[in-house]
């Protein structure tokens, strides 16, 4: 019985296996049939559309009006249709597809049919598709298998004659413009073979695995090709044997070949062959373009298999020694009607000298003659070719040139057709629709040609030293014919446009310009043209400077070779940090000590890792790398360490000199039912390369028996903590960690103790993690950590820090309440002692477990340790600088604030150069306060920190301001002095300057230079600046300024010389000069001269005498009188009137002159007695303490003169603020406290009864008017003054704080100072002085005392004036406080002031009397005599005070001083009467 059962099971199993093989074979056969059916269908469809059919062509002639009318009707009908559709289907009604009824999964027997139903809603009506295992079901192609139906939003799929292969997941997808929705339904086909095996549930899984295994093994690649080496010009074949199981006749799998991930297609250079078992790829006439990673992929319906290997192509031998090898990878881009851009890649070997340029050749397809395209060498690996013939095909090649000759040409590029890109796209698209056989055309009215409009979107796409490429879009208005283009250029700074292509316009919307001047800037524009004419120009481009925009790549980073096999080495390097449009890298190898470098690759690679093959076993090789882009080659990197070519030993490969230690301190941070959180410490030594990540492994532990190690993560973990998920509850696990960097993978860490996966239920927090130590010094170090992952039942409130010496058992503990910043600085350590540290977290429930303790850390300051230094450069930029002398190749400076990574990079800019890193503050403010630290990676703990406080920031900002705007100091103010001959000297002395200091002399905002009028001198030995003027003229009234520039430092000093001061100085200068001239004449020749000049005098009898005094005359000396230039004879009436002046009248007005003359010389004098109105001087202005005064002088004033003042052509109304009048011969207008409204033109109109004279002065602050410079007028409006805010008197109780703020105005911003009793106050603990925003000056007196009483003043000053605002502070003492302070009959100075009475005469002499106490008839009095306090007690009544002759004490403990003052006090107050009676009532407080 048992034997029969066994036989039955064997037969059943064989039958199942046969069925499976039969199904697989049937599947393959069906695939072949499907291919055949698809091929037949294709032939039928092709014949359908290509079959010639009879057709009739009709010609319909329509007029232009008919055509336009029909077009308008069609357009109106389409608009109505659109409006109707919008009304019927507005956007608000549209919605994405939604399944009202989803398809249900079904299970049926083999050979039966099954139907899936569903209902879909949506608007617009969705389009549905059915999928089987995400493969689209084509029911029309397989009507015998599938049938689909869609009616009234109900959709169904019928699967006929179900087989076992129909078991799958079916999906229906509904799609409309609003979105897509899907629904799934599984279909299971049950076979009769398994009906009696329902009780064996695992058999299904077993059979599915068997079927899957059979399908995987259907395709296998054997006899694989290996890494291959070839030489240019040779032919190479790559082949593999492919086994397909089970074997099916005439079945051909899909064979796909790739090169560097790009599918290859058969071509002139690439041949592919399939022999039934062998897949072969033949590369004909190898070239460097053929180098790369080749991959063979074999695809079948059941799966695929791949194989890859690298093919190296070496350069052919050069024809001449020292010439470069051929360039490679020539390609054509942006082809147009007459234009194409050719690019290529530079070769790996430049020859015996560097490549200096390239030649580009072209060949028209169908010819055999190559034509050189460029006469000038091209340095970029990119060049535009112009002058092509439209419609013809071209190929291109490139040759390299160095000092030894020209290389062989590169492989020719693929042919490219010179044609419009739109035409090329149209040709690629093929026919759009079948021809209906009818041609319709309209008869248009004959019209003239249309001039094309301007091109659009003109831009410079490329700009190098050799050429500039322009691109644009054709004009919108172009008529019915093609357009061509003219290009024009204009040198920036000129207005001349020059046409570039004068001979023949271009056809393409691209143009390359050559022979432009390097370094010059040009603008460009384009015009369109056709047979109708030349259109308007396009918008011009911006200024384009001719020069290279692409820089050479920077040198790649350090190179690390790693042993691989006996003939290969893996080379890794750092990417170029500064590179644009990188093409790739070339790797070179040299046997150590030979000095001969050979390229490892002849085609650039873009990664930073490459396997160098073809090396000799046992050689000691060094490597270097250089980057390349279109601009050229970078410099070669530093040579790597020598590496022996031999197979690596062990599980992991390392660089022989890079030792990376394993991670340490794997700790459990948190555990729940199905996951655990682990942390660990980074390796202490990384071998000079950054850690790129970590790998974790785990194994289970049961009853002390461990399982195998399993990987946890396939992708590296970048941090030092990880959450391990999908664990089983109550199972014990062990974990280990490995680190990885560029050199390889480290050894595993020490496995953890078995850890049980179950949820923590404790109330205290878990252990902190991630302990790290920075800034180790001889007596301190900084400890940082991460908070615990598990905080317990309440938040963490603090941490305990345990530390102990290495060889001691005593543990010292510190507590920090700061639970937000997980850091502490340990101080007071002992130099030379090693310490270990650990952390406990604390919450309300208690103290949690300790963290993993750190390694032993030696407290020492290593030699060469630097601290962060604060620097303020000459531009005022504040930065933090940290230097490291122990810098490794891959070391980096990592800056942080408050020991956390920067989150706001806008606050700080980091610049690193060599071993120095600088953190620059972009905009220093209070937001930047904190602790700044810097750590250098890949070093032995090099780090430092700097704390920026508010006081430190203020100090740095002050230094920055001084550096940004340094001021040259002066020893003295600018002064003026009058010298001999009336010469005027302006001078100032500079306190500090260098030899580069330069002086600029300015008068009324205009720079003046040395010449006839001015003589200038700057003595750099003494620092004295001088300027001399031989004489002062009317035009010299204004402001003189010395501007100094010494590097960045500037200095400015001015002198305002206007008004009466200028007039007086000018008069003195003219007098001194005239006197000098006169003295020179009289001294040398003893000439006659005037001792006193002509003047007039009015006698008590009201007679007017003209008089002068002469000297050194003799009888022969002639004395002549003149009036208005006419000599007065003795018999004239004027002469009589001169003698008899009582008849003088207006008719006598004029200019009188007296002349002396004899044989020795001559002299003269003048007196102007013209009309008063006409004799008025120009209107001038003068500033006073309260405002400004406008004035004019007349020679003599008479009451008949009528004077009117005007402001902005309007008569000025008089008020308390604006007044006018006459003083002597001065006519004036006074304006108190002038404002902005008072600016403008002022005029005085003087009328004498016959005519009037108008004098005008412009006080608008702009330009000059009436000879008055603008600089002089500004001072009257912009002078410094206090505009309000301060009271006249302030009374405050002793002990309170007093704060007063005054509003200050002036331009420039005035200098502010506070004084008390004419003594300047300085800011200290008692006085706080501030000046904010250039407007508000405040003083704060903390805890005022009676000694603070007195007169204060706020002084403001700028170059236009000075003003003082005075106020009085009175401090009183409460009566109860005064009683407590009376000691030994002496009253304390801070007694309360009950009242005060002060005689005006006493106040004028600074004597003040204060009544402090009034008990009965006894008074206690304080006397302030010139700020010295005297105290008198027990005075019987007020009257006794004035005769009192004794003082008990005073503030300076100088009783005798009062005895001398008492008589004066008595004199001041003698006879003063106070009412009502003094004994009964206190006087009121004034």
């Amino acid at each position: 019985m048992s034997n029969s059962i066994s036989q039955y099971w064997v037969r059943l199993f064989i039958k199942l296996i046969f069925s499976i093989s039969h199904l697989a074979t049937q599947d393959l056969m069906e695939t072949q049939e499907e291919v055949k059916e698809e091929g037949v269908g294709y032939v039928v469809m092709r014949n359908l559309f290509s079959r010639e059919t009879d057709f009739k062509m009709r010609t319909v002639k329509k007029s232009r009006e008919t055509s336009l009318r029909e077009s308008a009707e069609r357009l109106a009908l389409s608009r109505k249709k659109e409006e109707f559709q919008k009304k019927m289907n507005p956007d608000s009604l549209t919605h994405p597809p939604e399944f009202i009824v989803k398809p249900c999964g079904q299970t049926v027997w083999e050979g039966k049919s099954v139907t899936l139903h569903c209902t879909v809603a949506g608007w617009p009506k969705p389009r549905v598709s059915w999928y089987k295992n995400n493969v689209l079901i084509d029911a029309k192609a397989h009507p015998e298998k599938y049938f689909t139906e869609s009616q009234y939003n109900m959709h169904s799929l019928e699967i006929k004659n179900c087989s076992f292969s129909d078991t799958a997941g079916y999906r229906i997808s509904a799609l409309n413009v609003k979105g897509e929705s899907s629904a799934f339904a599984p279909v299971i086909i049950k076979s009769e073979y398994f009906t009696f095996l329902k009780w064996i549930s695992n058999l299904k899984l077993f059979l599915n695995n068997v079927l899957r295994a059979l399908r995987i093994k259907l395709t296998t690649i054997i006899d694989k090709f290996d890494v291959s080496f070839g030489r240019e010009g040779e032919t190479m074949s790559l082949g593999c044997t492919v086994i397909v199981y089970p074997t099916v006749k005439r079945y051909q799998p899909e064979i796909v070949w790739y090169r560097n991930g790009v599918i290859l297609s058969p071509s002139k250079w690439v041949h592919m062959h399939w022999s039934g078992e062998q897949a072969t790829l033949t590369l004909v006439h190898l070239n460097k373009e053929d180098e790369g990673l080749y991959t063979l992929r074999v695809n079948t319906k059941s799966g695929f298999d791949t194989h890859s290997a690298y093919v190296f192509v070496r350069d052919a031998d050069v024809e001449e020694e020292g010439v470069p090898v051929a360039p490679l990878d020539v390609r054509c881009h942006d082809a147009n009607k007459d234009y194409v851009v050719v690019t290529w890649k530079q070769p790996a070997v430049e020859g015996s000298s560097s490549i200096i340029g390239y030649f580009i050749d072209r060949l028209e397809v169908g010819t055999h003659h190559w034509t050189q395209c460029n006469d000038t060498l091209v340095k970029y690996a990119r060049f535009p070719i112009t002058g092509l013939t439209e419609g013809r095909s071209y190929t291109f090649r490139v040759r390299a040139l160095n000092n030894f000759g020209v290389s062989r040409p590169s492989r020719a590029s693929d042919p490219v057709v010179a044609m419009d890109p739109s035409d090329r796209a149209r040709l690629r698209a093929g026919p759009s629709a079948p021809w209906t056989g009818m041609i319709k055309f309209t008869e248009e009215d004959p019209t003239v040609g249309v001039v094309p409009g301007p091109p659009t979107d003109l831009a410079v796409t490329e700009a190098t030293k050799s050429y500039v490429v322009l691109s644009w879009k054709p004009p919108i208005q172009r008529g019915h014919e093609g357009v061509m283009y003219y290009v024009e250029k204009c040198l920036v700074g000129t207005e001349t446009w020059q046409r570039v292509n004068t001979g023949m316009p271009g056809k393409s919307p691209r143009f390359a310009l050559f022979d432009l001047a390097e370094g010059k800037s040009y603008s460009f524009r384009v015009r369109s043209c056709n047979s109708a004419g030349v259109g308007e120009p396009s918008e011009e481009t911006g200024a384009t400077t001719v020069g290279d925009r692409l820089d050479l790549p920077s040198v790649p980073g350090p190179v690390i070779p790693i042993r691989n096999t006996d003939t290969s080495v893996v080379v890794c390097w750092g990417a170029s940090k500064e590179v644009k449009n990188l093409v790739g890298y070339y790797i070179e190898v040299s046997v150590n000590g030979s000095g001969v470098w050979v390229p490892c690759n002849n085609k650039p690679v873009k990664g930073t890792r490459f396997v160098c093959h073809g090396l000799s076993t046992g050689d000691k090789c060094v490597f270097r790398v250089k980057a390349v882009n279109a601009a050229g080659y970078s410099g070669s990197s530093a040579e790597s360490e020598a590496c022996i070519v031999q197979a690596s030993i062990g599980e992991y490969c390392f660089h022989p000199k890079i030792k990376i230690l394993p991670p340490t301190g794997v700790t459990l941070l948190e555990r729940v039912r199905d996951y655990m959180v682990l942390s660990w410490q980074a390796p202490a030594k990384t071998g000079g390369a950054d850690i790129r990540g970590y790998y974790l492994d785990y194994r289970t532990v049961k009853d002390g028996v461990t399982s195998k190690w399993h990987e946890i993560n396939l992708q590296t973990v970048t941090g030092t903590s990880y959450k391990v998920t999908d664990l089983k509850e109550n199972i014990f696990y062990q974990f280990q960690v490995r680190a990885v960097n560029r050199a390889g993978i480290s050894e595993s860490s020490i496995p953890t103790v078995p850890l049980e996966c179950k949820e923590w239920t404790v109330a205290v927090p878990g252990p902190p993690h991630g302990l790290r130590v920075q800034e180790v010094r001889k007596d301190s170090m900084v400890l940082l950590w991460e908070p615990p992952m598990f905080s317990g039942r309440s938040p963490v409130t603090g941490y305990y820090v345990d530390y102990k010496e290495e060889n001691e058992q005593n543990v010292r503990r510190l507590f920090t309440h700061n639970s937000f910043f997980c850091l502490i600085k340990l101080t007071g350590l002992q130099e030379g002692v090693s310490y270990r540290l650990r952390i406990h977290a604390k919450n309300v429930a208690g103290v949690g477990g300790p963290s993993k303790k750190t390694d032993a850390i030696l407290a020492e300051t290593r030699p060469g340790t630097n601290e962060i230094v604060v620097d303020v450069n000459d531009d005022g930029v504040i930065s933090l600088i940290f230097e490291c002398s122990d810098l490794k190749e891959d070391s980096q400076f990592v800056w942080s604030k408050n020991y956390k990574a920067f989150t706001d990079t806008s606050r700080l800019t980091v610049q690193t150069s060599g071993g120095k890193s600088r953190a620059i503050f972009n905009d220093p403010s209070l937001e930047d306060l904190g602790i700044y630290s810097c750590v250098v990676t890949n070093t032995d703990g090099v780090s430092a920190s700097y704390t920026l406080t508010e006081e430190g920031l203020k100090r740095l900002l002050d230094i920055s301001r001084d550096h940004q705007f340094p001021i040259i100091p002066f020893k003295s103010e600018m002064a003026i002095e009058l010298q001999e001959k009336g010469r005027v000297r302006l001078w100032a002395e500079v306190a500090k300057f260098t030899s580069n200091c330069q002086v600029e002399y300015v008068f009324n905002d205009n720079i003046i230079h040395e010449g006839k009028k001015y003589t200038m001198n700057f003595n750099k030995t003494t620092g004295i600046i001088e300027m001399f003027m031989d004489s002062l003229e009317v035009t010299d009234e204004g402001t003189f300024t010395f501007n100094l520039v010494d590097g960045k430092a500037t200095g400015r000093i001015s002198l305002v010389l206007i008004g009466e001061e200028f007039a007086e100085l000018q008069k003195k200068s003219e007098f001194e000069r005239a006197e000098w001239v006169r003295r020179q004449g009289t001294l040398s020749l003893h000439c006659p001269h005037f001792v006193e000049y002509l003047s007039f005098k009015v006698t008590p009898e009201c007679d007017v005498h003209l008089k002068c005094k002469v000297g050194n005359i003799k009888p022969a000396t002639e004395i002549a009188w003149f009036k208005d230039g006419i000599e007065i004879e003795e018999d004239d009436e004027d002469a009589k009137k001169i003698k008899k002046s009582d008849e003088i009248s207006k008719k006598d007005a004029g200019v009188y002159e007296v002349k002396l003359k004899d044989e020795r010389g001559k002299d003269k004098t003048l007196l102007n007695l013209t009309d008063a109105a006409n004799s008025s001087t120009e209107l001038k202005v003068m500033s006073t303490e309260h405002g400004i005064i406008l004035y004019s002088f007349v020679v003599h004033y008479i009451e008949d003169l009528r004077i009117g003042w005007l402001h902005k052509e309007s008569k000025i109304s008089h008020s308390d603020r604006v007044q006018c009048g006459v003083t002597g011969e001065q006519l004036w207008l006074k304006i108190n406290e002038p404002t902005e409204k008072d600016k403008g033109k002022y005029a005085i109109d003087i009328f004498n009864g016959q005519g009037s004279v108008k004098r005008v002065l412009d006080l608008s602050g702009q330009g000059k008017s009436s000879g008055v410079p603008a600089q002089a007028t500004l001072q009257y409006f912009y002078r410094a003054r206090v505009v309000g805010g301060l009271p006249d008197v302030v009374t405050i109780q002793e002990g309170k704080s007093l704060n007063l703020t005054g509003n200050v105005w002036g331009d420039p911003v005035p200098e502010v100072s506070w004084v008390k009793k004419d003594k300047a106050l300085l800011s200290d603990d008692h006085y706080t002085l501030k000046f904010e925003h250039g407007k508000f000056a405040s003083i704060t007196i903390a805890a005022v005392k009676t000694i603070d009483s007195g007169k204060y003043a706020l002084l403001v000053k700028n170059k236009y004036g000075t003003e003082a605002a005075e106020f009085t502070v009175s401090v009183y003492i409460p009566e109860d406080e005064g009683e407590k302070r009376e000691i030994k009959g002496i009253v304390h100075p801070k007694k309360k002031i009950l009242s005060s009475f002060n005689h005006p005469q006493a106040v004028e002499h600074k004597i003040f009397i204060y009544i402090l106490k009034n008990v009965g008839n006894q008074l206690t009095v304080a006397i302030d005599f010139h700020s010295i306090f005297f105290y008198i007690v027990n005075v019987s009544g007020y009257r006794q005070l004035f005769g009192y002759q004794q003082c008990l004490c005073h503030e300076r403990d100088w009783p005798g001083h009062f005895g001398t003052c008492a008589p004066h006090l008595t004199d001041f107050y003698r006879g003063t009467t106070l009412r009502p009676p003094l004994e009964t009532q206190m006087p009121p407080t004034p």
Side-chain angles (χ1 to χ4, degrees), residues 529-805:
C529 67
N530 59 9
S531 60
V534 180
E536 293 296 322
S538 66
E539 293 184 2
E540 60 184 75
T541 64
T544 301
T545 303
V546 179
D548 293 337
R549 292 186 178 181
L550 187 64
D551 297 327
L552 293 173
S554 60
V555 177
V559 182
I560 300 177
I562 305 170
R563 295 203 305 268
N564 189 30
T565 66
D566 286 335
T567 59
S568 65
V569 172
V570 177
V571 179
C572 303
W573 62 91
S576 296
K577 295 182 178 179
E578 297 178 3
V579 59
K580 293 181 180 179
N581 302 329
L582 176 68
V583 173
Y585 298 93
Y586 283 119
I587 302 94
E588 297 177 319
V589 62
S590 174
V591 178
N592 195 17
S594 67
V596 178
W597 291 93
V598 179
C600 296
N601 60 317
N602 283 294
K603 188 175 181 181
V605 294
K606 283 201 171 183
T608 57
R609 184 181 183 274
F610 188 75
V611 182
C612 299
H613 290 272
L615 306 178
S616 300
T617 305
D619 282 351
K620 196 173 184 181
C621 298
V622 293
F623 299 85
R624 68 184 185 187
V625 182
K626 60 182 177 181
V628 62
N629 65 359
Y633 304 90
S634 72
S636 297
S637 66
E639 297 180 11
S640 68
E641 298 285 345
C643 178
I644 300 176
V645 181
Q646 64 181 29
S648 58
I649 301 175
E651 183 180 0
Y652 307 107
C653 56
F654 296 96
H655 186 272
K657 290 194 176 183
I658 295 181
K659 302 296 182 182
I660 175 174
L661 298 180
T664 58
V666 183
T667 308
L668 177 64
L669 300 180
E670 184 183 5
R671 63 184 181 186
V672 191
R673 295 178 180 179
D674 58 349
Y675 71 85
M676 295 183 183
V677 180
L678 304 174
S679 74
W680 57 90
Q681 295 181 8
K685 293 184 178 180
T686 62
D690 291 332
I691 297 295
R692 293 188 173 180
Y694 300 91
Y695 290 109
L696 285 82
D697 304 326
Y698 79 96
R699 66 183 178 185
T700 59
V701 181
K702 185 175 182 181
D703 299 331
V705 179
T706 59
S707 64
K708 294 182 179 180
W709 288 103
H710 302 280
E711 292 181 346
I712 295 177
N713 57 311
L714 298 179
Q715 299 292 333
T716 56
V717 177
T718 56
T720 56
S721 63
Y722 187 72
K723 181 179 180 180
V724 184
T725 58
D726 297 331
L727 301 179
K728 295 182 180 180
E729 190 176 5
N730 299 326
I731 299 298
F732 286 87
Y733 295 90
Q734 281 186 304
F735 302 93
Q736 64 181 15
V737 185
R738 294 171 291 164
V740 60
N741 65 1
R742 288 194 307 171
I745 304 176
S746 72
E747 296 180 356
S748 301
S749 64
I750 300 175
T752 63
V753 297
L755 304 171
E756 185 178 5
C757 183
K758 65 178 182 180
E759 188 169 1
W760 263 337
T761 57
V762 295
V764 296
H769 64 99
L771 275 69
R772 57 193 184 278
V773 178
Q774 294 180 192
E775 305 169 33
V776 179
R777 301 294 185 265
K778 64 180 180 180
D779 57 351
S780 66
M781 63 181 68
V782 176
L783 175 64
L784 301 98
W785 63 89
E786 299 295 332
M789 300 294 294
F790 177 74
S791 59
R793 295 181 182 176
S794 60
V796 175
T797 58
Y799 296 93
Y800 286 102
V801 181
D802 297 341
Y803 68 100
K804 73 178 188 67
E805 297 180 9

Side-chain angles (χ1 to χ4, degrees), residues 4-195:
S4 62
I5 294 174
S6 300
Q7 292 175 3
Y8 171 78
W9 279 103
V10 171
R11 286 196 302 271
L12 178 62
F13 185 78
I14 292 174
K15 187 176 181 180
L16 291 174
I17 296 299
F18 176 79
S19 175
I20 293 170
S21 300
H22 174 72
L23 291 172
T25 304
Q26 183 181 359
D27 214 6
L28 294 175
M29 296 299 291
E30 289 178 355
T31 304
Q32 292 287 75
E33 293 299 327
E34 290 173 2
V35 173
K36 291 180 180 179
E37 291 176 2
E38 291 175 359
V40 172
Y42 170 77
V43 172
V44 172
M45 296 297 290
R46 184 191 62 187
N47 293 337
L48 176 63
F49 287 101
S50 63
R51 185 169 55 241
E52 296 182 1
T53 59
D54 295 334
F55 64 91
K56 296 180 180 180
M57 183 174 66
R58 293 183 299 163
T59 302
V60 180
K61 297 185 65 175
K62 296 181 181 179
S63 65
R64 182 176 182 85
E65 290 78 5
T66 304
S67 177
L68 291 176
R69 185 176 61 254
E70 291 179 355
S71 299
E73 291 174 354
R74 286 195 299 270
L75 182 60
L77 184 61
S78 63
R79 288 178 178 174
K80 290 181 180 179
K81 183 179 178 181
E82 290 178 0
E83 293 176 358
F84 176 78
Q85 290 177 348
K86 288 181 180 179
K87 292 178 180 179
M88 296 300 295
N89 302 317
D91 292 340
S92 58
L93 298 179
T94 61
H95 60 276
E98 180 183 3
F99 282 88
I100 306 302
V101 178
K102 295 184 179 180
C104 299
Q106 299 188 36
T107 303
V108 298
W109 291 104
E110 214 173 9
K112 303 295 183 180
S113 297
V114 62
T115 304
L116 303 177
H117 300 275
C118 67
T119 302
V120 182
W123 188 264
K125 184 178 180 180
R127 184 181 61 195
V128 299
S129 302
W130 291 90
Y131 296 84
K132 174 186 176 182
N133 290 337
N134 292 327
V135 177
L136 180 65
I137 296 175
D138 189 355
K140 294 182 179 180
H142 305 282
E144 76 285 352
K145 188 68 177 176
Y146 302 102
F147 175 77
T148 60
E149 186 178 8
S150 298
Q151 289 183 353
Y152 307 108
N153 292 334
M154 296 179 62
H155 308 277
S156 63
L157 170 68
E158 181 184 0
I159 307 173
K160 303 176 183 179
N161 193 19
C162 294
S163 62
F164 187 78
S165 60
D166 294 324
T167 300
Y170 289 81
R171 176 170 68 92
I172 179 172
S173 173
L175 175 69
N176 66 5
V177 294
K178 299 299 290 185
E180 188 268 349
S181 181
S182 298
F184 299 85
V187 175
I188 301 174
I189 309 302
K190 302 178 71 174
S191 176
E192 295 179 357
Y193 298 111
F194 304 118
T195 56

Side-chain angles (χ1 to χ4, degrees), residues 1279-1464:
R1279 65 184 180 87
R1281 59 181 182 265
V1282 181
V1283 296
L1286 295 177
D1288 295 332
V1289 179
V1290 179
T1291 303
I1292 187 171
Q1293 180 180 335
E1294 183 190 22
K1296 302 292 184 179
S1297 293
L1298 175 63
N1299 179 271
L1300 297 174
T1301 301
N1303 299 332
V1304 178
W1305 191 87
D1307 188 11
V1309 176
E1311 301 175 2
V1312 174
S1313 61
W1314 296 84
V1315 297
K1316 176 186 177 183
K1317 299 176 182 177
D1318 298 330
K1319 293 183 179 179
L1321 297 178
L1322 300 177
S1323 186
D1324 53 20
D1325 295 339
H1326 190 54
Y1327 296 104
T1328 302
L1329 310 178
K1330 293 183 180 180
F1331 185 42
E1332 298 174 334
H1333 309 296
K1335 296 181 180 179
F1336 307 107
S1338 63
I1339 179 173
T1340 302
I1341 307 175
V1344 296
K1345 307 175 184 178
T1346 55
I1347 58 175
D1348 293 323
S1349 299
K1351 285 190 176 181
Y1352 293 78
L1354 170 60
L1355 296 180
V1356 292
K1357 175 184 178 183
N1358 65 3
K1359 66 179 182 180
Y1360 294 127
T1362 304
E1363 185 175 295
E1366 296 183 347
F1367 59 94
T1368 302
V1369 175
S1370 177
V1371 182
Y1372 68 89
I1373 306 172
E1375 185 176 359
D1376 53 350
E1377 291 292 332
E1379 295 292 341
K1380 296 178 182 179
R1381 298 183 184 182
E1382 185 174 354
I1383 304 174
K1384 297 182 181 179
I1386 301 175
V1387 179
H1388 194 274
K1390 295 183 180 178
K1391 272 289 211 173
K1392 179 180 179 181
I1393 301 174
L1394 299 179
S1395 62
S1396 63
F1397 56 98
N1398 299 303
H1399 193 277
Q1401 190 177 3
V1403 173
E1404 183 179 355
H1405 290 77
K1406 298 184 179 180
I1407 301 175
F1408 305 92
I1409 300 176
Y1410 302 96
I1411 302 171
L1412 305 180
K1413 184 178 180 182
N1414 181 18
V1415 180
N1417 196 27
Q1418 302 296 319
L1419 301 179
T1420 301
V1421 182
I1423 301 176
D1424 178 3
F1425 180 74
H1426 288 267
S1427 302
I1428 302 176
F1429 280 88
F1430 301 89
Y1431 308 101
I1432 308 175
V1433 298
N1434 298 332
V1435 180
S1436 298
Y1438 285 88
R1439 291 193 177 90
Q1440 188 178 351
L1441 173 64
F1442 306 116
Y1444 196 64
Q1445 298 292 323
Q1446 182 181 3
C1447 177
L1448 298 180
C1449 74
H1450 61 83
E1451 186 181 29
R1452 298 186 180 179
D1453 197 18
W1454 189 12
H1457 184 74
F1458 183 75
T1460 61
C1461 300
H1464 300 286

Side-chain angles (χ1 to χ4, degrees), residues 310-341:
Y310 210 91
V311 173
F312 292 87
V313 180
R314 294 169 180 167
D315 290 297
D317 295 333
V318 297
E319 298 176 356
E320 298 181 16
E321 189 68 25
V323 300
V325 298
L328 67 153
D329 202 11
V330 180
R331 298 175 182 267
C332 299
H333 308 273
D334 198 15
N336 222 294
K337 294 180 180 179
D338 58 353
Y339 166 92
V340 68
V341 174

Side-chain angles (χ1 to χ4, degrees), residues 1120-1158:
W1121 288 79
F1122 296 85
K1123 176 186 177 184
D1124 296 330
I1126 301 175
E1127 185 176 1
I1128 302 174
E1129 301 294 340
E1130 291 186 2
D1131 297 335
D1132 293 344
E1133 294 183 359
D1134 291 335
K1136 297 178 181 179
K1137 291 179 181 179
I1138 292 174
K1139 296 178 182 178
K1140 189 176 181 182
S1141 302
D1142 54 343
E1143 298 179 5
I1144 192 169
S1145 65
K1146 292 182 180 181
K1147 298 180 180 180
D1148 300 317
V1151 178
Y1152 291 85
E1153 182 180 10
V1154 181
K1155 295 183 179 180
L1156 302 178
K1157 182 179 179 182
D1158 59 17

